[in-house]
Structures are given as structure tokens and as C-alpha cells.
Amino acid sequence: MSTKMQTVEGAMVEYVTAMIGGQLFGLPISRVQDVFMPERVTRVPLASGEIAGVLNLRGRIVTVVDMRARLGLPKADDGKPPMAVGVDLRGESYGLLIDQIGEVLRLLEDGKEENPVNLDPRMAKLAGGVHRLDGQLMVVLDVDRVLELETKVQMAA
């Protein structure tokens, strides 16, 4: 019965939610490989400030992207260790450093709206739309846009 309701209402999309600088973000679950606590991140000389470094995750070399730096936010000073969301782009593994991981939300695809005109420009360039939740705005991260920085860095090298 619930599947009929879903087909009548429209397609559902699942998002892994994350908090970064007090803002709720959603990553399409289809793009998330894993969630982990980053350990022993090795800084990469001459890398941009948005690259926290690299780490070894179960035998894979993972480039760690500092999402606070990517969004132009100050470093967290709450003393809590960051979490990371593992994503892949063209066969390369990346870890997106976030403040806190949330739950998985199932939302109607039709409920996604274009970026509001008053959305912070730093967020807007990485966002693929927003969902209005009860008293909160969830910014949908476009993983390809978030990782565009990587290709620019590689091209400059």
C-alpha cells in the first residue's frame, strides 16, 4: 500500500544529512560511499586551503576536502572531531569533512526547489537546490560542483 502512495505522490529521493557550520546539508545517498572518522590526515604541500590532506582508508588513498574552507566558513572551535563523508568522482575517492552526520531523509523529488536568491553565494555555487523542512532549509550539495576544485587544481599542476 505504501508503494502505491509513493508512486501517486511522485519519486522519492534519499539524502544523507550533514551539519556544516550550523547549516543542514543533504547529499544524495546514491553518491555517498561511506561515512567515517578521519584519522591521520597527511597535509599535502602547496595544496589549496580547501584540501585538508590525504589519508589511507582501507587501502585507498582518499583526498580530504575541508567543507568549512570550501564554504568560506571559519574552522570549528568546538573541540569535536570532524566526520567525513566518502564520495567518488571519476574513480577517485574523496572524503568531505563535515561537523556532524545526521540521518537519512526520504523526500519527494518534486519538493526540491531552485536555490533561493538570498542563499549565501558560497553555498549557492555548491548547491543543487534546497528542500524546505519543518523550520529549516536543507541545502542539497551537488557533489560534482563541490569537487570541481579538484580538477582546477589538477589542471594548474
Side-chain angles (χ1 to χ4, degrees):
M1 173 144 182
S2 62
T3 48
K4 279 189 177 177
M5 294 278 289
Q6 288 172 1
T7 51
V8 170
E9 291 173 359
M12 300 291 279
V13 181
E14 291 185 311
Y15 295 99
V16 174
T17 60
M19 292 296 284
I20 306 168
Q23 173 61 50
L24 181 68
F25 289 90
L27 291 108
I29 201 166
S30 60
R31 296 299 304 267
V32 174
Q33 303 295 318
D34 47 19
V35 175
F36 59 94
M37 297 280 292
E39 295 178 21
R40 292 194 307 228
V41 176
T42 305
R43 188 89 181 111
V44 178
L46 303 177
S48 77
E50 296 172 349
I51 304 297
V54 294
L55 59 81
N56 183 331
L57 181 67
R58 296 185 288 277
R60 290 183 320 202
I61 299 300
V62 177
T63 302
V64 181
V65 178
D66 184 340
M67 287 303 296
R68 279 181 160 268
R70 189 79 176 97
L71 291 163
L73 300 171
K75 289 200 177 296
D77 57 1
D78 58 8
K80 292 180 185 170
M83 299 285 301
V85 177
V87 296
D88 277 16
L89 180 67
R90 293 189 282 280
E92 293 291 320
S93 297
Y94 298 91
L96 306 180
L97 279 186
I98 59 170
D99 297 342
Q100 186 180 348
I101 195 73
E103 57 191 340
V104 173
L105 292 181
R106 292 190 69 190
L107 301 172
L108 281 172
E109 195 170 7
D110 298 347
K112 187 164 88 171
E113 302 173 20
E114 294 292 318
N115 292 338
V117 292
N118 60 349
L119 186 64
D120 185 311
R122 296 170 297 190
M123 285 185 196
K125 72 179 181 183
L126 304 178
V130 297
H131 277 278
R132 294 180 196 278
L133 307 176
D134 295 332
Q136 198 171 23
L137 192 69
M138 182 185 80
V139 177
V140 177
L141 281 177
D142 182 322
V143 175
D144 294 335
R145 286 190 208 162
V146 168
L147 298 176
E148 271 177 11
L149 160 91
E150 308 304 319
T151 50
K152 287 179 191 164
V153 170
Q154 289 168 354
M155 292 167 114

